[in-house]
Amino acid sequence: MSRLAQSSLVAVLGPTNTGKTHLAIERMCAHSSGMIGFPLRLLAREVYDRVVVLKGVNRVALVTGEEKIIPKDAQWFLCTAEAMPMDREFAFVAIDEAQIGIDPERGHIFTDRMLHARGREETMILGSESLRPLIETLLPDAEIITRPRFSTLSYAGPRKLSRLPRRSAIVAFSLEDVYAIAEMLRRQHGGAAIVMGSLSPQTRNAQVKMYQDGEVDYLVATDAIGMGLNLDVTHVAFAALRKFDGRRRRRLTLAEIGQIAGRAGRHQKDGSFGILSGLASSDELQAEDVERLEAHRFPRLEWLYWRNPEPDFGSLDGLIRSLEEKPGHRRLHAAPEAVDLAVLKKLSQDPAVSWHANSPDMVRLLWEAACIPDFRKVGADHQARFVASLWPHLAGVSGRIPHARMAQEISRLENVQGDIATLGARIAAARSWSYIAQKPHWVEQPEAMIERTRALEARLSDAMHIQLTQRFVDKRTRILMRGLMKDSLSQDVSVDDDGMVLVEGEEIGTLKGFQFVVPSDSRNEDRKMLLAAAERYLGRIMTENADALAKAPDSVLTLVPDAAGQPAILWGDARLAVLAKGKTLLQPEIKFERSIKDMAPEDSQKVIDRVKLWVDAMKAKHLEGLVKIDALANQPETPAAVRALFAQIVDAGGILSRRDIDQAIRALDNDMRGHARRAGLVFGALDIFHHALMKPGAVLWRTALFAAFDAEPMIERTPDNAVHLKEGTFAAADHASRLGFRKIAGEYIRVDMVERLIKQAHEARQKGAIFAVDPALATSLGLSKSCHEALLDLAGFVKTSDKPAPVEQAVAEESSSPPAAAGQTETVPEAAVAPEVAPASDAAPAPQADSVVAAETDEAPAGGTPVSEEPVTTVQYWRWKGMARKNNRDHGKFRGKPQKHGKGAPAKRKVEPVLATAGGAFAELAALRDSMKK
């Protein structure tokens, strides 16, 4: 059966991990020339790279369907079995994995190479022990050498994917299963490398390198892994024991299982194999199967597939008949119809194609075209249409595919965008054109096309590797899973200036204070793992941060409204806690973040204690007066009336309208009022407030405490040190007063400034019954004229068209008037209120009626006397009318009916108030002043 003279013929048989391929490489390199045929382009490329290191790039050739690197001085050829140049002579020839002769699609090729490929000096056939009876029968002159396995292979039983040991390879038999398993490994272990026969060598090598370098600990592969690929695999797990072989779905043979499982372990390193949990019971390995696999005892092969290696090219029909010819040996069976033969038959039925196949050379050419591999796996029908589209060019006058046609097809594929499936389809199409470009008699510019298709496949392969890595490898997860192992080594953990947490240089999240924030691009299923990793890695850092916070000054903490308006306590930009409703306004509950509660108890307590101390310190600093008033309100020695007043003041946050607590104020005697003033309270004409609560810090903390107590968002604060707002929009009516402002005629004025303006008016009042108020202060505060006048009116002043009395009369009136301090005014201590903002005295006033006293009009002043016509002047004069009381239950009531004084003049009510001051002295003074005016 040999085409060459008989030479030394050796069959090296044995299980995987016996070093058969390594032996063949050594033997080839020992000869002057040599060739080895491999089952996979990937394996041919791997061995090519190894031999290049030994012999030099100019003396080593690589020959596959899609790639041919044949230097001028090449002596050693590494080929796929189909691409072996059978017309060349070599001193050494070897065929690897010869047992593939049983494969329905490619078996006849390996059978032919085993029977006919011979070296001038030595021929070596490598295969499994199952080939022995066939070697003995078909090649009786061959010397059979048995190579034992270097290490032990043992069965590890079923395991869950999450329980597989590191350095495992999972074998699946469909693209969908490969991707699904790789995705699960990414989630559970950080990723996996992908090895499939359809990958380009460049992509496959990049994936394998990633695995070999330890960037990932798992490999997902098709049964291509069983074809001699040398990988550092410790355990092989089968995702299935059935596969589709192109015709039907069948169970793997024991030899196929052994071929794949044997990849576990290298040289003298033991390996194991098993199945993934969840396989159907019918697919599980039986005890006797396990025993045979561990002992490498497989059923002997009784026959191999064969197809006529010397077909008849006399005619199309003769060619087809010769390819379907039956073998003449009982150990050889006719090969099933392969894709190339199916394509030839379909082409022969096309008149446009068969018409040109009218000579042996044209028949040979058509068969060569039909043998273009179906890289795209589209089936015979589609592949036949593709070949038919090329046939007119091949059968034409030039016999070549136009350069423009190939360039156009290649240009369509030069797009590296898209998902894995899209890139995979482009790579398969590129391989077809690479195969065609390797036929120099088919292409107009073969060298240019070879270079262009090679570059195209390289670019697409790079893109495919990137896509596979991005989809199925999560470096962050891999690092973390390794760190979470019980026997893991310590890893480098650091936190940069921006709070980014790095483990072995890989970001796992951000540390904001004591809260670990997972990256925004993390998948939901990864969050739990990242949080667990943070708990493991950040313990020491959390302790250091807790110690740093415990020793830090108060300035490192701040109180700000969060996104929901809650009063939040921040350390830098990290949220530690929020204030919530407590027992009282001044005693809010501090709700700490979950991350702080989850810390080590001692670290957590340090943070909690520090924050509580800070809150107390801030209340003492910014709300000192309010805290002091609250303390006095709870002391038994404080007079009961004062305690009641203090309690209302505290509940109002230190600012309260005087009108709301008028009765409580009038119940205080001078000693009691002194008690209140010493606490820092200011008794204004319109409001009672603590003098220190107008500062920005106090406003912030009051609004925060109110927000916590009311379970509402914090009020939006006014600009710091603002005393007047032309316009204001507040969500609720009481928000302005809580910020320290009083609404006057559509404008808002800070209450201490209100009292200062009222005090100015009372000081002007000392000059006489009719007086002018200097508008300079109001103007400097930004008040409009109408706002200022409305304020004075509210404070008990009324505009008048009367003029001040002559100086002599004013002096007489002043001398006859009772002293202003006689029960009417209360001077605020200088220490309590700054002179420039001192409010009016607490009880300057004249009698107050049960209801608002009717103001005298400019047209007809009191008594009905017409207003004399005088030149209009810009000076506005005022007189005191007194402030109205809130109600009439406790403060007297009007007596008598209104009377008209003069034509058209409004009635002037006569008031007889009952005052809560000493012996009705205010009533007598008021009556005296009225008689003097008349």
Side-chain angles (χ1 to χ4, degrees), residues 767-768 804-815:
K767 299 177 182 179
V807 175
E808 298 80 3
Q809 182 178 348
V811 171
E813 289 181 354
E814 183 174 352
S815 63

Side-chain angles (χ1 to χ4, degrees), residues 634-869:
N634 291 283
Q635 290 180 0
E637 55 269 25
T638 303
V642 177
R643 288 205 306 270
L645 174 64
F646 283 0
Q648 295 182 73
I649 292 292
V650 171
D651 290 343
I655 301 175
L656 194 60
S657 172
R658 178 166 183 155
R659 190 176 180 84
D660 292 337
I661 54 171
D662 188 59
Q663 296 182 44
I665 294 173
R666 292 181 180 278
L668 303 179
D669 58 23
N670 287 337
D671 290 340
M672 293 178 182
R673 293 180 184 231
H675 204 102
R677 288 196 189 91
R678 286 190 294 275
L681 282 182
V682 175
F683 289 84
L686 300 181
D687 296 286
I688 310 299
F689 57 92
H690 192 281
H691 69 91
L693 295 183
M694 300 299 109
K695 297 178 181 178
V699 175
L700 169 66
W701 275 89
R702 282 193 298 105
T703 56
L705 293 178
F706 273 120
F709 194 77
D710 297 337
E712 294 180 351
M714 286 180 64
I715 303 171
E716 184 177 353
R717 290 182 296 138
T718 59
D720 290 348
N721 299 317
V723 296
H724 170 242
L725 302 174
K726 278 288 187 182
E727 296 179 355
T729 55
F730 299 96
D734 61 344
H735 286 185
S737 62
R738 287 185 176 181
L739 290 173
F741 285 81
R742 172 175 280 275
K743 186 176 182 180
I744 307 291
E747 300 179 28
Y748 292 88
I749 312 171
R750 206 169 71 186
V751 294
D752 56 337
M753 292 298 103
V754 168
E755 298 303 332
R756 182 172 176 179
L757 290 167
I758 293 174
K759 180 181 179 181
Q760 180 195 34
H762 278 288
E763 290 173 345
R765 173 186 164 203
Q766 304 303 318
K767 299 177 182 179
I770 306 297
F771 51 88
V773 178
D774 186 356
L777 177 59
T779 301
S780 68
L781 297 178
L783 273 65
S784 64
K785 179 181 179 182
S786 59
C787 178
H788 187 205
E789 292 178 354
L791 170 60
L792 295 178
D793 181 71
L794 185 64
F797 298 91
V798 61
K799 290 191 296 185
T800 180
S801 58
D802 294 344
K803 299 293 187 292
V807 175
E808 298 80 3
Q809 182 178 348
V811 171
E813 289 181 354
E814 183 174 352
S815 63
S816 63
S817 298
Q824 295 187 38
T825 61
E826 295 180 3
T827 306
V828 179
E830 290 295 329
V833 181
E836 66 271 13
V837 295
S841 59
D842 129 90
Q848 298 182 7
D850 291 341
S851 58
V852 178
V853 179
E856 299 169 349
T857 64
D858 292 338
E859 291 83 1
T865 305
V867 179
S868 60
E869 294 186 4

Side-chain angles (χ1 to χ4, degrees), residues 37-41 79-83 95-113 224 227 245 247 305-307 335-340 377:
F38 296 99
L40 292 176
R41 178 191 181 195
C79 317
T80 53
E82 289 86 346
I95 177 70
D96 191 23
E97 305 291 355
Q99 73 277 0
I100 296 178
I102 197 66
D103 181 73
E105 185 70 28
R106 306 172 63 208
H108 62 277
I109 299 293
F110 286 82
T111 300
D112 176 67
R113 301 303 185 252
M227 299 300 177
D245 63 4
R247 289 174 174 81
Y305 283 120
W306 175 89
R307 189 169 74 180
E337 183 180 273
V339 173
D340 52 2
K377 304 299 180 185

Side-chain angles (χ1 to χ4, degrees), residues 187-249:
R187 297 178 185 179
Q188 297 173 0
H189 297 286
I194 307 293
V195 172
M196 299 182 293
S198 60
L199 293 180
S200 66
Q202 185 171 337
T203 304
R204 175 262 179 189
N205 290 342
Q207 290 286 302
V208 168
K209 184 177 186 300
M210 187 169 60
Y211 173 80
Q212 294 291 81
D213 291 348
E215 293 183 30
V216 293
D217 292 325
Y218 298 87
L219 183 78
V220 185
T222 60
D223 50 355
I225 193 179
M227 299 300 177
L229 297 180
N230 296 310
L231 300 169
D232 184 16
V233 174
T234 302
H235 179 79
V236 171
F238 289 86
L241 293 177
R242 292 179 176 273
K243 75 171 185 176
F244 181 74
D245 63 4
R247 289 174 174 81
R248 62 187 178 88
R249 184 172 177 79

